Amino acid sequence: MVSDAADIALFGAYLVLLAAVAVQHYRGAIPRRRLTMLVGLCCTWLAYGLLQLTDGGPLPSTGPLNLAFDGLSIVLLVVGLFLLYRWYRSRESGEKAPETGD
């Protein structure tokens, strides 16, 4: 198991990564198609980080706050997987997949 401090640091790192992606997109350094992929990845990582905080982590395992964070992590996971699916479908139609044997 990872310590409680590492769980909090991991969740904070995921939030910083999401903020960095937003700033880079605002500056025009990240195209929209890639933004979809990066936000989808950040949402799935944040969902994992929230589950680490609530499941035996620094937050109490009972109570409404724990249930709210668990619900938020499920929502983040679904949003992240949906964005990754959208990125995959747009990538598939816009780019040719590499052929085997090359």
Side-chain angles (χ1 to χ4, degrees):
M1 287 299 275
V2 178
S3 70
D4 292 345
D7 286 337
I8 293 172
L10 186 64
F11 182 73
Y14 295 151
L15 283 176
V16 169
L17 182 63
L18 183 60
V21 166
V23 167
Q24 289 296 316
H25 177 67
Y26 179 74
R27 291 181 180 171
I30 297 176
R32 187 159 183 82
R33 183 181 294 174
R34 188 163 183 204
L35 177 72
T36 304
M37 177 197 60
L38 291 174
V39 171
L41 288 172
C42 286
C43 285
T44 55
W45 293 336
L46 279 172
Y48 173 75
L50 274 175
L51 285 176
Q52 293 301 313
L53 288 177
T54 59
D55 187 32
L59 296 177
S61 60
T62 58
L65 183 62
N66 188 19
L67 292 175
F69 280 137
D70 285 343
L72 181 61
S73 67
I74 290 171
V75 169
L76 283 172
L77 180 64
V78 170
V79 167
L81 291 176
F82 175 74
L83 289 174
L84 288 173
Y85 174 75
R86 278 190 57 194
W87 166 77
Y88 178 76
R89 296 297 291 176
S90 70
R91 182 195 60 86
E92 187 177 87
S93 65
E95 301 172 4
K96 182 179 177 186
E99 296 179 13
T100 57
D102 285 341

